[in-house]
Amino acid sequence: MSNSLSRNKRLALFGIFAAIAIVLSFFENALLGMTNFFIPGLKPGIANIAVVMALAWLGGREAFVISLIKATASFLATGAITVLWFSLAGAVLSCVGMVLLHRTKLFSLAGVSAAGGFLSNLAQVGVMILISGTKEFLYYLPLLALFGVGFGLLIGIVCNLIYSRLNKVKKI
Amino acid sequence: MKKSVIRLSDIILAGALVLISVLGLFLLPAGGTTVVIKQGDKIIYEGSLYIDKAINIEGEYENHIVIKGGKAYYEHSTCPNHECERMGAVTEAGGNAACAPNGTMIFVRGESEVDAVVK
């Protein structure tokens, strides 16, 4: 598993995952600008692929740093300071949850990522209520959570597929 | 590492989370004919969805909300992402629209519980 990788390889992978996180964040924000979603803050979270892959390959600490990089990137992509608080809160809670679930070894990346999507939306709605003082934002939670689980599961399945293929690369 | 794309435990976990979300959906308020506009915990406006009105809310940003022909929506906003303008209208059937950067929200409320009982 992760400790079988050399220090240099881990460093290189970390850089790659960080780059993927940044690129996917920008890509996703560009995509959201073109679509007409009916819920604020709803996004598939494809940049989470980088976080989940870092979790599987490098470990919890690295995944956490990647998720912070991802949150900062989506703030830079939108330029709205509120987005930074939303994404930071989402990143922290979902990442902690995913690391813990991954440690239990009960779930594959699909389940881990689904829970991550759920927790990320939970944290974002929480911050939305805290910042605005409008408790009615709670109305959005069920739908956001539902989409979070769905998107998270899909992303996790993609990660499972990528992981089993990348395993061959490990031998290089 | 296991080859499978998804494990049974994943499905159980995701299913449980979906169940929690769906249960939450039932707690969502149903539609109504009274439109309420809030900023933070302050009610800015409360009135019938069928009385046309234009409301300006100043805050960190400026929201221009229009209530017209049974629809309430953000017509214009100076917030950075303009998500509120793209959220569509709140109608009698329910729904809500919000501008998170400005902390404002539009939603509908039914008649008061007393009225409902009398009916």
Side-chain angles (χ1 to χ4, degrees), chain A residues 123-156:
Chain A
Q124 297 202 11
V125 171
V127 168
M128 227 191 263
I129 291 170
L130 275 182
I131 288 184
S132 68
T134 311
K135 60 178 187 305
E136 279 80 7
F137 276 119
L138 205 60
Y139 298 165
Y140 286 122
L141 186 55
L143 268 182
L144 276 175
L146 204 59
F147 278 105
V149 175
F151 284 134
L153 196 66
L154 284 178
I155 281 162

Side-chain angles (χ1 to χ4, degrees), chain A residues 13 21-22 26 31 48 55 72 84 104 112 117 128 153 159 164:
Chain A
L13 276 175
I22 293 168
F26 275 81
L31 211 63
N48 217 31
L55 178 62
T72 314
L84 179 64
T104 64
V112 169
M128 227 191 263
L153 196 66
C159 287
S164 59

Side-chain angles (χ1 to χ4, degrees), chain B residues 68-85:
Chain B
K68 199 176 171 188
K71 287 178 180 171
Y73 54 93
Y74 286 91
E75 193 185 56
H76 179 73
S77 170
T78 57
C79 61
N81 49 14
H82 298 276
E83 264 176 3
C84 50
E85 294 167 23

Side-chain angles (χ1 to χ4, degrees), chain A residues 17 21 47-56 63-64 66-67 70 95 98:
Chain A
F17 291 142
N48 217 31
I49 288 178
V51 178
V52 177
M53 290 312 288
L55 178 62
F64 191 73
I66 298 279
S67 77
K70 185 197 76 175
C95 197
M98 289 199 295

Side-chain angles (χ1 to χ4, degrees), chain A residues 1 32-33 35-41 78-80 82-83 86 101 105-112 114-115 118 128 132-140 142-143 145-146 149 153 157 160-161 163-164 167, chain B residues 1-7 9-11 13-15 17-25 27-29 38-42 60-61 80-81 83 86-87 96-107 109:
Chain A
M1 278 284 290
L32 283 180
T35 50
N36 226 341
F37 278 133
F38 56 101
I39 304 176
T78 55
T82 39
V83 172
F86 295 151
L101 281 177
K105 296 201 193 304
L106 284 172
F107 309 100
S108 82
L109 298 178
V112 169
F118 180 85
M128 227 191 263
S132 68
T134 311
K135 60 178 187 305
E136 279 80 7
F137 276 119
L138 205 60
Y139 298 165
Y140 286 122
L143 268 182
L146 204 59
V149 175
L153 196 66
I157 289 171
N160 272 341
L161 291 170
Y163 191 88
S164 59
N167 254 336
Chain B
M1 192 76 183
K2 46 272 144 197
K3 290 248 162 59
S4 62
V5 170
I6 190 162
R7 284 203 248 165
S9 56
D10 296 333
I11 297 170
L13 176 66
L17 294 174
V18 164
L19 200 68
I20 294 173
S21 311
V22 170
L23 281 179
L25 272 180
L27 301 175
L28 281 178
K38 278 184 91 175
Q39 183 175 32
D41 49 9
K42 228 175 41 232
E60 207 165 326
Y61 304 99
N81 49 14
E83 264 176 3
R86 291 189 272 126
M87 282 179 68
N96 36 50
C99 180
N102 208 23
T104 59
M105 186 166 205
I106 313 173
F107 58 96
R109 199 179 266 173

